Amino acid sequence: MYSSFLNLIDILGTFAFAVAGGFSAMERKLDPFGVLIIAFVTAIGGGTVRDVLVGNFPVNWLHNGNTILIIFVSAILTMIFGSYLKHLNTALFIFDALGLGLFTIIGIEVGLKQGFSAGICIALGTISACFGGVIRDVLLNKVPLIFRKEIYALACIIGGIAYYLLKQTHLNDDVAKVICILMIFVIRFIAVRYNLSLPQIQLK
Amino acid sequence: MYSSFLNLIDILGTFAFAVAGGFSAMERKLDPFGVLIIAFVTAIGGGTVRDVLVGNFPVNWLHNGNTILIIFVSAILTMIFGSYLKHLNTALFIFDALGLGLFTIIGIEVGLKQGFSAGICIALGTISACFGGVIRDVLLNKVPLIFRKEIYALACIIGGIAYYLLKQTHLNDDVAKVICILMIFVIRFIAVRYNLSLPQIQLK
Amino acid sequence: MYSSFLNLIDILGTFAFAVAGGFSAMERKLDPFGVLIIAFVTAIGGGTVRDVLVGNFPVNWLHNGNTILIIFVSAILTMIFGSYLKHLNTALFIFDALGLGLFTIIGIEVGLKQGFSAGICIALGTISACFGGVIRDVLLNKVPLIFRKEIYALACIIGGIAYYLLKQTHLNDDVAKVICILMIFVIRFIAVRYNLSLPQIQLK
């Protein structure tokens, strides 16, 4: 049951990431090829950076036909139904926040499997979840959003620490995953609902 | 005969990519070191991304002294004879379009050797041919041209599909390569001659 | 004695790189997470690119807890004492220039160990020393400084060539390292003191 829940989140999260990427590309008036690439990069960029850093080759999405198919379909749907999808704002936010949680956990698991320390594992989780958006923003010629606004990466870091700690207990693994995904989800929800950001740091 | 034709295209294509990179760098008023790096990145960036994704290490150009030499010479020539080279516009376009075709095929071959599916192989071909320009544009702080203008990546994708299909027939391999290179060349020629682009996709 | 000197430079250089990254991030008004990431990327970006190109996985910093700690502390200090650190301008410049020298040499050693040619080794050294700053500038949406201003990469290239040549003699290895670090330091000092840059190259 848990595992089909995680599978569902994987699909919905990938969908939400790809759609968000597609929207950003369309705001910049890219052509369909550009929209497709940006949707791809947003959805698989974080996992790709993680795989490259730790040395998992070929990187994950190259042998994951399902992910590629979901992104492809999401990008096409975004191009055709863009204005309608905009009305699904809330649904997309929910999918995105759930995906954020799952991708953080996937990244942490990759780190644990290779025997890295706690700090590195949480960093790898955060990179998996957040760096697709970083590459998207770089390609669209913007300072990455997550360096400037909203509590996004911080949600991954907090959820990641919780997951790492829960793994030390005897709690069932799938339960730990679901708890952390919901935790990251709730942090994101509160951050967006109350418009919370980290303060800017400026040189005086 | 075919193989020396392919070698020639490799040299001319690398030259054209490096010169194009050098020009972009000079337009942005970089210093000679910057021009050299941008010329390099334009010529070897696509192959490097491909090698990293599939896990070919060290990446190709590190043990390919000829390529490095060609790029180096091209960058120097661009710096010295920039304004004269501009008059060779048509020749440079031809070299670029031929190189685009060859690099697409090289990327597809890397994918085939590793047993990837058709879609991935064609994606790897397109990445090999196009992502040098993407990295160049990112370094020069622009939204990558191929996401916005002209039919460039699409030529690689179409040529790549044709090459993949021809490989399933009993056609001689080198002949298949030459056919696809010419095909990509012709698509590029028509796109530039008639100023064809993909339509922009915008949110309504 | 030499080796503890090199260790000291490693620490001071990493500190200076991270602080420089933190300053750039704060100038762009990033939030604390952004400042931390930019400090990290500035300090470990060059070594990461080098490791990826040659195929050293996991990349170096992932199993180097000390480096991570130093960067973390440097970023925090920069955020808290930013305006005071600005007064240490000269000290930071010295650390940065020493770090530049050491990181160049570390990169060359990686290349030598893998049996690359002289040119590639020196390129790997320069990449190790300079590409953290390149990635930082890309993330902050600027054309990389080292492509436009000051003699920075050139100092690495000259020092790198000297180191490669010294390795061919019977000179003690640590002595050769110290000589080259000082050489790169002196070039940087002269370049900044007399405000020397490479000339821009422009299309006429």
Side-chain angles (χ1 to χ4, degrees), chain A residues 162-173 175-176 179:
Chain A
Y163 182 64
Y164 192 86
L165 294 177
L166 285 178
K167 293 277 281 191
Q168 317 303 316
T169 70
H170 293 294
L171 198 67
N172 174 291
D173 227 52
V175 178
I179 290 177

Side-chain angles (χ1 to χ4, degrees), chain C residues 172-187:
Chain C
N172 174 291
D173 227 51
D174 282 335
V175 178
K177 281 175 187 166
V178 172
I179 291 177
C180 294
I181 291 173
L182 294 179
M183 197 164 172
I184 292 176
F185 177 80
V186 168
I187 298 175

Side-chain angles (χ1 to χ4, degrees), chain B residues 4-172:
Chain B
S4 57
F5 174 68
L6 295 176
N7 273 338
L8 182 65
I9 292 184
D10 197 358
I11 294 170
L12 296 178
T14 303
F15 173 73
F17 274 47
V19 169
F23 279 146
S24 309
M26 286 156 75
E27 266 163 26
R28 285 270 167 153
K29 306 187 181 170
L30 300 198
D31 69 22
F33 174 76
V35 174
L36 185 63
I37 294 292
I38 300 290
F40 245 95
V41 160
T42 309
I44 53 87
T48 301
V49 172
R50 175 203 63 216
D51 284 346
V52 168
L53 290 176
V54 303
N56 271 352
F57 296 105
V59 299
N60 185 60
W61 63 271
L62 282 180
H63 38 61
N64 197 335
N66 284 341
T67 299
I68 295 174
L69 190 68
I70 295 169
I71 299 173
F72 201 83
V73 171
S74 310
I76 304 288
L77 289 176
T78 309
M79 288 189 247
I80 302 179
F81 300 111
S83 37
Y84 300 91
L85 280 175
K86 277 272 174 194
H87 297 301
L88 300 177
N89 234 331
T90 312
L92 285 171
F93 167 75
I94 293 172
F95 298 169
D96 184 278
L98 290 173
L100 198 68
L102 179 64
F103 301 149
T104 303
I105 282 169
I106 292 175
I108 291 176
E109 287 290 332
V110 168
L112 288 171
K113 209 178 290 174
Q114 301 219 6
F116 287 118
S117 64
I120 295 290
C121 289
I122 293 161
L124 288 173
T126 307
I127 288 171
S128 302
C130 299
F131 267 54
V134 170
I135 302 179
R136 173 199 62 205
D137 290 344
V138 165
L139 288 176
L140 295 177
N141 202 15
K142 302 193 269 195
V143 175
L145 193 65
I146 65 157
F147 297 164
R148 291 179 292 130
K149 257 183 70 180
E150 284 185 13
I151 286 168
Y152 199 86
L154 189 63
C156 301
I157 294 172
I158 294 173
I161 293 172
Y163 182 64
Y164 193 87
L165 293 176
L166 284 178
K167 292 276 282 190
Q168 317 303 316
T169 69
H170 293 294
L171 198 67
N172 175 290

Side-chain angles (χ1 to χ4, degrees), chain C residues 14-30:
Chain C
T14 302
F15 173 74
F17 275 48
V19 169
F23 279 146
S24 310
M26 285 157 75
E27 266 162 27
R28 285 272 166 153
K29 306 187 182 172
L30 300 198

Side-chain angles (χ1 to χ4, degrees), chain B residues 5 98 101 177-187:
Chain B
F5 174 68
L98 290 173
K177 281 176 187 163
V178 171
I179 291 177
C180 294
I181 291 173
L182 294 179
M183 196 165 172
I184 292 174
F185 176 79
V186 168
I187 297 174

Side-chain angles (χ1 to χ4, degrees), chain A residues 49-138:
Chain A
V49 172
R50 176 203 63 215
D51 285 346
V52 168
L53 291 176
V54 303
N56 271 353
F57 295 106
V59 299
N60 185 60
W61 61 272
L62 281 179
H63 38 61
N64 198 334
N66 284 340
T67 300
I68 296 174
L69 190 67
I70 295 168
I71 299 173
F72 202 83
V73 171
S74 310
I76 303 288
L77 288 177
T78 309
M79 288 190 245
I80 301 179
F81 300 112
S83 35
Y84 301 91
L85 280 175
K86 277 270 173 196
H87 296 300
L88 300 177
N89 235 330
T90 312
L92 285 170
F93 168 75
I94 293 173
F95 297 168
D96 184 279
L98 290 173
L100 198 69
L102 178 64
F103 301 149
T104 303
I105 282 170
I106 292 175
I108 291 176
E109 287 291 330
V110 168
L112 288 172
K113 210 177 290 174
Q114 301 219 4
F116 287 118
S117 64
I120 295 290
C121 290
I122 293 160
L124 288 173
T126 307
I127 288 171
S128 302
C130 299
F131 267 54
V134 171
I135 303 179
R136 173 199 64 205
D137 291 344
V138 165

